[in-house]
Amino acid sequence: MKPRNAIITEVIHETPTITTLKMDLKLEALPGQFVMVWVRGLDEVPMALSHPDAITVQRVGEATNVLSGMQVGDSIGIRGPFGNGFELEGTRIMLIAGGVGGAPLLPLARLAYAKGLDMTTIVGARTGDELLFEQQFSQCGRVSVATDDGSKGYHGFVTELVNQFDLESFDQLYVCGPELMMKGVLDILQAQAIEARSQFSLHRYFKCGIGVCGACTIDPSGQRVCKDGPVFKGDMLIYSELGKYHRDATGKKIVQERFEDSL
Amino acid sequence: MARTDLSIELTGLALENPAILAAGVLGTTGSSLKRIADSGAGAVVTKSIGIEPKPGHPNPTMFKLGCGFLNAMGLPNPSYKEFRGELITAREGGVPVIASVFGAHPDEFSQIITGLDGADAYELNVSCPHASGYGAAVGTDPVLVTEITKAAKQAANAPVWVKLTPNVTDIVEIGEAAQKGGADAVVAINTVRGMAIDIHSGYPILGNRFGGLSGAAIHPVAVKCVYDLYQALDIPVIGVGGIANYQDVVEMMMAGACAVQIGSAVYDSINIFNEVTAGLARYLADNSMELDDIIGMAHRKVGR
């Protein structure tokens, strides 16, 4: 499809670096599906839908910088929704959201709440003022907070807080956040042999976004993050490149930076 | 009933079936190529590899239209030095791996082929329609195509295929130039130049402004090119362009292709290779024919 025209109807500054853009488009999407967002004349980037009519953007590069500065009345191009989203399973679930990783998890929390599921959400960020959707998640279930600097909630990494829960008691765990946070969570689940009960939303460099070009495939399965994912089951990821390396726009392997730098 | 034999010998390579993954599609990594080999492709072609790492054009780089796909990837690749490891992984798939190679002049092709030793064949990309100084920029000049093919043949310890652009007045002239240079086969066609503009804003949609059209829209163009090349050349013609089912394969072979390549159709199904080869085998069995019976059939019907 050609990009659909979307006019920004509301700009919400969620944190100092994260902005939600509401659009005049309502997309029927599964939680965890994504759209390709075209900043005309500049670039097109994949973004999670945080609401049926909104994307939530963290300022990390040129395109997201421009998006973060958009005003009501500005417009962008939207293709999608694409990919496979999260699947709700069981009755007692945990959501683990690091940084802007909360964006694809919020629609899942809302759906789980509507279905009456018992839900615990862990929200993590570097600092208290960077916590995303803490209030929205707390409207859907229990919330625990972790911050790297201890300015709010648990003082430490998300993975340390996760370790304090009886993870066996959850039917399914849903994770999205920085790569090494996700890898840390996966390691914890694997140590308890419950990785099959988890779903992770991955990020990789996307070009086509529709499963043809192959820029976003992961090793060793050759699965396409844009089409076979972005959500994958934990047991599928155990022996994968997750947390070890990813590829840049040329296809070259980039070894993952240190854990602390990635959170 | 015995399974219909689809195995072919193509430029000295043994293929279990004639359905090959086209260049540029799911060919960035070895594991991705392996996955396609596992899903029934007779051979796989890598993403086009060059001298230096290239990030490609800015996004959007590809999108679907009602009639096909437009793309302008811009030859993203990590360089032949970085790609060596991917090639080794790809060969674990157990089917021939053809390295697609692009360069600006004969010496670059030689350097890449020498440095990317170990491919089962090399496919020279002298046809990408949207990379300045590469692809069709060199592939529209018959003299240059002959020189590049000669240089590649000298450098390669494996067969050399030349992938032709349809964005020329006469594709046969370029095909003959490749044959003159010693090509073992030609591959026709690459994408057809195209463009789309966003009517809400007036911006060209592709990051590169224009690109190449693939998919169903170009299938008849490809059939005509393959038909003409088969008539004019003595080397095998490999048909590519809008192949999405076994009927398209049969048609392309009747035009003269001895094998086909499939690209955009992986959009609809990653299992496309198993699907078309099963369909092709059934078609041949139902009609009591073998592959050789259909290759070039359209020429024989009307008198060559």
Side-chain angles (χ1 to χ4, degrees), chain A residues 1-5 36 38 40-46 75 79 82 205-215 217-224 227-228 247-253, chain B residues 24-29 31-32 34-35 47 53-65 69 73 76-78 82 86 196-198 200-201 203-205 263-264 266-268 270:
Chain A
M1 72 186 73
K2 289 183 185 175
R4 293 164 70 186
N5 191 50
M36 293 298 286
W38 180 31
R40 293 180 175 105
L42 181 63
D43 202 357
E44 188 193 41
V45 288
S75 71
R79 293 192 295 138
F82 294 133
Y205 184 82
F206 285 5
K207 282 190 187 293
C208 77
I210 54 175
V212 178
C213 78
T217 55
I218 52 169
D219 290 341
S221 61
Q223 297 272 308
R224 301 160 293 178
K227 185 127 174 189
D228 302 307
R247 287 166 200 273
D248 67 9
T250 74
K252 186 183 170 183
K253 283 182 189 172
Chain B
V25 176
L26 299 175
T28 308
T29 69
S31 58
S32 174
K34 225 167 97 181
R35 182 183 181 197
K47 193 131 190 73
K54 242 170 102 73
H57 296 313
N59 281 344
T61 43
M62 182 172 187
F63 57 94
K64 192 176 189 294
L65 298 162
F69 299 81
M73 291 288 161
N77 83 98
E82 282 286 335
E86 306 296 343
I197 293 165
D198 176 44
H200 304 289
S201 64
Y203 273 92
I205 298 174
S264 309
V266 302
Y267 171 85
D268 291 311
I270 193 103

